[in-house]
Amino acid sequence: MGDNGTSRIGIVGAGAMGRGIAQVAAAGGCSVLLYDARSEATAEAIAFIGGMLDRAVEKGRMESEDAEAAKSRLAAADDLAAFADADVVIEAVSEDIELKSKVFSALEEATRPDCILASNTSSLSITRLAAACDHPERVAGFHFFNPVPLMPLVEVIAGIRTDQKVIDRLVALGKVMGRTPVRVADAPGFLVNQVGRGYTLEATNLVAEGVTDFASVDRIMREAAGFRMGPFELLDLTALDVTHPATIEIYEQSYHEPRFRPAMLMGQRMQAGLLGRKTQQGHYTYLEGKQQRPEEPDAPPFEGGMFWVEPGEDCAALQEIVRSSGAELDEGAQPGDESIILIAPLGTDASTHAAQAGLDPERTVAIDPLFGFAGRRTAMKTIVTRPEVMTKTHAMLTSDGTPVTPIQDSPGFVAQRIVAMITAIGSGVAQNRIATPDDIDRAVKLGLNYPNGPLEFADKLGIARVLKILEGMSTCTGDPRYRTGPWLRRRAALGLSAKTPETPTHS
Ligand SMILES: NC(=O)c1ccc[n+]([C@@H]2O[C@H](COP(=O)([O-])OP(=O)(O)OC[C@H]3O[C@@H](n4cnc5c(N)ncnc54)[C@H](O)[C@@H]3O)[C@@H](O)[C@H]2O)c1
């Protein structure tokens, strides 16, 4: 290894990931040998990387001499014997445990005993890959994100028998490559892909239950909850034949943890060939690569009406929306006979909430309070809310220009359910010591582009509110996927931030 942390690197597999890793390694000053079982793939990859480096120069992101120097550090290898002098070999072949195990056995033969063997696998167990090797202590995960040059995160994953020095060296190498490395213990889906299940699985479950449609979930998550991409746009980009098998792998490795239970609808859509952008048909249709977003139906015209708001934390904000719309506000202690009843539950479905509060379910509409009624409002029916009540409420809520999505009854609406699942999984990652609280939030923001990390979400929205949402979902459905865990409960009980780490047992 060079004094400045640079290394002689071998990369096996010159596909989408291998070439991205080769690019950032060469740009960081490492010498890189690239090998692929298809001999033409390596030449293609080197030409592709050259083009990417030229583009970086054109866009002013790189000096031309640096780009030329990076190109000169890249070369093709004809076979694995070329890696005899490598300090680190990164495996990026297709996601197949048998194939990867064979590659690792061959690498053990081809490399020096102190050469680190790293895998870029997204979902296979590092401990299991290492167990097939004579020296599992030199095997680790080095998990980059696609497209590598634009995604700064790398997870450095220690298998059960990985030497700590190997992890330290990969962390240093990650920095040389211009990445932000986070240390992660071996776990199903590691850190980022474990948390990512919360977003896409819960969204798919919601649609499977008939709560609303794909485009509506995406709009709510973008415009109310502040995510850059809706879960179904994301699934179309990644492709279901990647996401669904990875979910099954994570579920199996976790011995059927209910939070990772695959969604039946996702499996069916994969079998039907609705994979996403790459097949032009997924949750959306694509024409010449352009997503065809269904038009949102026009909002109904304002008809006035009398609205009563249930007392509670969000009552004043909802009353203000009613007042400023020009509709009448019923200020009675109980709703008048003709008034539409607005409620703002956390975790409870509208029907159960109305029944428990003794409110007329045919006149009740629930509005999601979690993100402060900004960006986009979600209006949820009870199972028997009258259509004209929904129409009047929709028109009133949108009179200030804020769009509204009407949905069927669901404990936790859409955004509450999805964000609560992200925090539940993220706090499970913290509780199981897979990564530190700071690294969990950092990795999720960098690797998934979420507006907040899972623990930050819990702090911003209030741990007590997140717990209430999970408890409500759990009570209504009886599904253990929604159970709360000790991480959030203890920090809520002590009034501490969700990011509070635990003190050591000894000084
Ligand atoms: N694509 C992503 O978004 C992404 C993100 C993170 C991690 N990963 C992981 O990275 C790895 C590679 O994924 P990808 O998207 O680059 O796949 P890819 O299909 O684009 O590339 C795989 C390459 O491996 C080559 N290959 C197959 N068997 C080989 C062998 N025995 N020896 C040498 N080369 C061989 C193939 O010819 C191909 O060029 C997988 O483990 C995947 O899970 C992928």
Side-chain angles (χ1 to χ4, degrees), residues 12-18 35-38 41 91-95 99-100 103 120-122 143-146:
V12 193
M17 296 305 289
Y35 169 74
D36 198 286
R38 288 186 303 119
E91 167 279 309
V93 303
S94 323
E95 190 77 337
L99 174 66
K100 286 189 192 278
V103 169
N120 183 50
T121 177
S122 303
H143 182 217
F144 292 83
F145 292 78
N146 190 22

Side-chain angles (χ1 to χ4, degrees), residues 60-375:
R61 288 199 303 259
M62 206 175 187
E63 296 297 331
S64 122
E65 54 269 34
D66 293 340
E68 292 311 313
K71 285 183 204 170
S72 74
R73 287 191 283 267
L74 275 168
D78 294 332
D79 51 35
L80 295 183
F83 295 158
D85 276 335
D87 301 310
V88 178
V89 176
I90 303 165
E91 167 279 309
V93 303
S94 323
E95 190 77 337
D96 172 340
I97 185 90
E98 305 302 330
L99 174 66
K100 286 189 192 278
S101 299
K102 278 195 197 132
V103 169
F104 270 87
S105 298
L107 284 173
E108 277 207 305
E109 294 290 316
T111 57
R112 291 193 324 254
D114 65 337
C115 172
I116 292 174
L117 303 182
S119 175
N120 183 50
T121 177
S122 303
S123 59
L124 302 173
S125 157
I126 299 301
T127 302
R128 189 172 164 205
L129 277 175
C133 295
D134 292 333
H135 291 285
E137 66 281 0
R138 64 161 159 157
V139 177
F142 206 27
H143 182 217
F144 292 83
F145 292 78
N146 190 22
V148 181
L150 299 182
M151 297 293 282
L153 182 70
V154 61
E155 293 180 309
V156 181
I157 302 135
I160 292 283
R161 295 177 69 174
T162 307
D163 187 338
Q164 188 52 44
K165 288 196 209 78
V166 166
I167 298 300
D168 294 342
R169 279 177 61 191
L170 287 177
V171 166
L173 178 61
K175 288 181 187 160
V176 164
M177 292 167 131
R179 309 295 94 187
T180 303
V182 291
R183 293 165 190 263
V184 182
D186 195 12
F190 316 128
L191 188 179
V192 167
N193 281 342
Q194 194 170 120
V195 174
R197 298 305 109 182
Y199 198 47
T200 49
L201 281 176
E202 197 56 19
T204 307
N205 290 332
L206 268 159
V207 174
E209 289 164 25
V211 175
T212 185
D213 53 74
F214 303 127
S216 296
V217 172
D218 281 353
R219 287 189 199 106
I220 291 170
M221 295 315 290
R222 279 195 314 264
E223 296 164 28
F227 284 72
R228 210 169 294 172
M229 223 190 236
F232 296 109
E233 294 169 296
L234 178 65
L235 282 168
D236 277 2
L237 194 65
T238 322
L240 287 193
D241 61 341
V242 173
T243 305
H244 186 62
T247 305
I248 293 174
E249 182 65 36
I250 292 171
Y251 184 59
E252 293 301 330
Q253 278 180 36
S254 69
Y255 301 107
H256 296 193
E257 161 57 55
R259 286 174 185 146
F260 307 137
R261 190 188 310 129
M264 229 181 321
L265 181 61
M266 210 188 277
Q268 287 175 323
R269 294 183 68 86
M270 181 190 80
Q271 283 155 7
L274 300 169
L275 305 185
R277 278 181 182 270
K278 71 180 180 191
T279 53
Q280 303 289 305
Q281 274 193 311
H283 301 93
Y284 297 87
T285 302
Y286 296 83
L287 283 182
E288 288 163 8
K290 200 170 178 311
Q291 186 191 73
Q292 308 297 300
R293 273 192 195 165
E295 287 268 316
E296 192 170 9
D298 286 341
F302 183 67
E303 295 177 42
M306 173 82 89
F307 292 84
W308 179 86
V309 182
E310 186 185 36
E313 213 178 320
D314 301 288
C315 175
L318 272 178
Q319 284 184 329
E320 188 46 40
I321 293 172
V322 174
R323 264 193 219 102
S324 54
S325 75
E328 284 181 81
L329 182 66
D330 173 353
E331 296 192 68
Q334 297 295 324
D337 289 345
E338 298 302 317
S339 299
I340 292 175
I341 300 163
L342 300 183
I343 60 175
L346 282 173
T348 335
D349 60 300
S351 305
T352 306
H353 187 103
Q356 286 170 348
L359 300 169
D360 178 356
E362 293 190 15
R363 288 187 288 140
T364 298
V365 183
I367 319 297
D368 188 349
L370 191 63
F371 288 92
F373 309 113

Side-chain angles (χ1 to χ4, degrees), residues 184 190-191 194-195 424-435 440:
V184 182
F190 316 128
L191 188 179
Q194 194 170 120
V195 174
I425 298 175
S427 50
V429 171
Q431 186 63 53
N432 293 332
R433 272 70 172 173
I434 295 167
I440 294 171

